[in-house]
Amino acid sequence: MDWQALLYGPVYATLGVEAVLTLCGGEPPIALTVLDKTAGIVVGGQQRDRGRFQAEVETIQPAAAVRAAELANVDRDKLHGAEIAFNGKCWKIDTHAFRPSPRGEGDGEILLLLTER
């Protein structure tokens, strides 16, 4: 199954917004299409440990999702502390997480966890 053509392509074409990523170190800005998740995503929850639930606190974290293929040529270590601008706001990237498709990390999304500038 071609996840890019059947899922990610139509979603990003319909819901995606233009963004500009500026990495640390003076590299040229990169134009991207992201899904605006700055209203927040749930981070945390409950984990199961040997049959017991360990409670964690859920929090709302602003984020942006980008297709991993759009960041294929970017050193992921340079994302930390970088800036991304979209929908009229500038955000600092605190960290990132992978959301792989069934075909792996390189075919899925990268979730950028943000702090407002």
Side-chain angles (χ1 to χ4, degrees):
M1 178 177 263
D2 185 350
W3 293 95
Q4 291 299 320
L6 296 173
L7 177 65
Y8 296 114
V11 168
Y12 278 80
T14 304
L15 303 174
V17 296
E18 294 179 9
V20 176
L21 173 66
T22 305
L23 299 171
C24 300
E27 295 185 32
I30 301 167
L32 302 170
T33 301
V34 301
L35 298 181
D36 184 341
K37 306 229 178 243
T38 55
I41 60 166
V42 176
V43 180
Q46 294 184 349
Q47 291 184 341
R48 194 171 181 94
D49 179 33
R50 292 183 244 180
R52 301 180 306 224
F53 282 104
Q54 295 180 331
E56 293 182 354
V57 176
E58 289 186 352
T59 184
I60 302 296
Q61 171 75 46
V66 62
R67 287 179 283 191
E70 287 197 68
L71 295 176
N73 296 324
V74 174
D75 179 0
R76 300 304 191 302
D77 292 335
K78 292 186 178 183
L79 290 174
H80 180 74
E83 291 185 352
I84 189 164
F86 56 93
N87 283 341
K89 284 192 175 182
C90 186
W91 301 86
K92 177 184 167 208
I93 299 173
D94 290 328
T95 191
H96 66 281
F98 292 96
R99 291 175 130 183
S101 80
R103 293 180 63 195
E105 283 181 357
D107 192 52
E109 295 175 300
I110 297 176
L111 195 60
L112 306 173
L113 301 177
L114 309 172
T115 303
E116 190 170 355
R117 282 276 185 197

